[in-house]
């Protein structure tokens, strides 16, 4: 739980499941989280080997993030958690 239990961590991993995402696009996908918080979580996930960071050779320079093979192993139970939350009685979400 220390690895993926942080606020926004599961959401970040979930949004990276379909392929690399640029930082600004990711921050738009995750409404409610500040860019500072997302950047902090991404750094932690990168240090833990769940996310890979790639600096793009574009003008202006941009950064994209992708889920690693190890990070992908979390998607199974994140999907189960999503399904479980969708089955909660009204008022509990």
């Amino acid at each position: 739980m220390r690895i993926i239990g942080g606020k926004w961590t599961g959401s970040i991993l979930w949004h990276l499941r379909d392929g690399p995402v640029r930082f600004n696009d990711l921050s738009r996908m995750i409404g409610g989280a500040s860019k500072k918080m997302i950047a902090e979580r991404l750094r932690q996930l990168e240090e833990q080997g769940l996310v890979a960071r790639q600096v793009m050779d574009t003008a202006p320079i941009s950064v994209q993030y992708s889920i690693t093979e190890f990070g992908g192993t979390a998607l199974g139970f994140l999907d189960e958690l999503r399904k479980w939350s969708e089955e909660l009685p009204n008022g509990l979400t």
Side-chain angles (χ1 to χ4, degrees), residues 1 3 5-7 11 15-16 23 34-37 39 41-42 49 52 56 58-59 67-68 74 77 80 82:
M1 289 306 293
I3 294 174
K7 192 168 185 180
S11 186
H15 286 292
L16 295 177
F23 178 82
S34 69
K35 287 186 176 188
K36 180 181 176 183
M37 176 59 72
R41 288 292 179 252
L42 285 166
M56 307 300 292
T58 59
I67 195 165
T68 64
F77 61 81
E80 290 299 317
R82 177 193 59 82

Side-chain angles (χ1 to χ4, degrees), residues 9-18 67 75-76 78-79 82:
T9 301
S11 186
I12 289 170
L13 291 174
W14 188 254
H15 286 292
L16 295 177
R17 74 188 184 283
D18 293 327
I67 195 165
L75 294 176
L78 287 174
D79 190 42
R82 177 193 59 82

